[in-house]
Amino acid sequence: MNRDNSVLPRLGGRKPSYRERVADALRAALIAGELRPGEIHSAPALAARFGVSATPVREALLDLAKEGLVDTVPNKGFRVTAVSERQLDEYTHIRSLIETPTTAQLATAADTAALEALRPVAEEIVTAAVAGDLIAYVEADLRFHLGLLALAGNEHLVEVVRDLRRRSRLYGLTALAEQGRLQASAEEHLEILDALLDRDEDAVRAVMTRHLGHVRGLWAAR
């Protein structure tokens, strides 16, 4: 899974620095469950895995340590932190309180062209699912959902959801990919978009509720 710096994820559509792009790639690997709780990783080993130099990886890991995603282990590297079932339930609850009503309101408020601009991102999610590229899946999924929320015009709301997603772990992605079921989950993003374009607020709310329920199931699959 080596990745050169030209293809490191740009999470949420931002234009981050190189160090931030490395941190984003590591976050995506954490969220996708490719870096598992309790595992210890050194900066040089992760740099080789991602096809980048060790210095920005070490700096990025220090950033992730400040966010509570990894712990520093003296003379060894960084240990991936665990997330409890209670935390996962709380993350899901907060996301549902924010994302479901906000996304549903876009059915009547969002510009058609702005919604259509997200279709290529939704299709990227499906493409990544078919390819079994979990990091690309997580990256595109984040851009899609944050892109939707950004249409509501509340930057603080977007940052709250970004932070929640940084702390999450989609442990079940690997199992879904191996079982050939990840594509069906990915296609829910197109379903959300189509419901928005149909201006059907009730349908958007229903799909979002189902989608977030699936996400909690993914979090729980360890």
Side-chain angles (χ1 to χ4, degrees):
M1 102 169 205
N2 286 351
R3 293 170 173 267
D4 68 33
N5 58 25
S6 64
V7 294
L8 287 174
R10 299 189 176 208
L11 299 193
R14 294 177 290 118
K15 295 181 179 179
S17 67
Y18 181 66
R19 170 177 173 171
E20 289 172 328
R21 291 174 64 191
V22 172
D24 283 344
L26 292 173
R27 284 191 195 94
L30 284 165
I31 294 169
E34 293 198 6
L35 302 180
R36 304 286 294 192
E39 292 179 349
I40 297 177
H41 300 276
S42 69
L46 287 174
R49 179 173 178 174
F50 283 86
V52 297
S53 60
T55 297
V57 171
R58 187 174 293 106
E59 294 173 342
L61 285 167
L62 290 172
D63 291 339
L64 298 188
K66 293 177 183 177
E67 297 172 13
L69 299 180
V70 298
D71 293 321
T72 303
V73 180
N75 303 317
K76 291 186 178 181
F78 297 82
R79 179 186 291 112
V80 179
T81 59
V83 182
S84 71
E85 291 295 319
R86 177 174 178 176
Q87 286 174 308
L88 295 177
D89 286 334
E90 290 174 350
Y91 294 160
T92 305
H93 182 58
I94 296 170
R95 283 190 62 188
S96 67
L97 290 175
I98 295 173
E99 293 190 61
T100 300
T102 301
T103 304
Q105 290 168 9
L106 294 175
T108 56
D111 179 73
T112 298
L115 291 170
E116 282 290 1
L118 288 169
R119 186 172 296 277
V121 185
E123 292 171 346
E124 280 184 46
I125 300 170
V126 177
T127 298
V130 172
D133 188 337
L134 304 186
I135 292 180
Y137 181 98
V138 168
E139 189 269 331
D141 176 75
L142 180 57
R143 280 192 286 121
F144 178 83
H145 285 286
L146 295 189
L148 275 182
L149 294 175
L151 296 181
N154 188 328
E155 294 181 5
H156 295 291
L157 181 150
V158 174
E159 287 307 311
V160 168
V161 174
R162 187 197 302 277
D163 183 63
L164 285 170
R165 294 175 65 100
R166 281 176 174 173
R167 298 172 185 277
S168 67
R169 304 287 194 279
L170 295 176
Y171 299 116
L173 279 180
T174 300
L176 278 186
E178 292 173 348
Q179 296 165 11
R181 295 167 51 205
L182 189 57
Q183 183 176 348
S185 177
E187 288 173 351
E188 288 181 338
H189 299 85
L190 289 168
E191 192 176 347
I192 292 168
L193 190 58
D194 288 340
L196 285 167
L197 289 165
D198 287 341
R199 305 301 178 183
D200 190 336
E201 188 170 341
D202 289 339
V204 174
R205 192 179 299 275
V207 178
M208 280 297 299
T209 299
R210 170 162 42 91
H211 183 63
L212 289 178
H214 290 168
V215 168
R216 178 59 183 94
L218 287 172
W219 284 351
R222 294 172 183 271

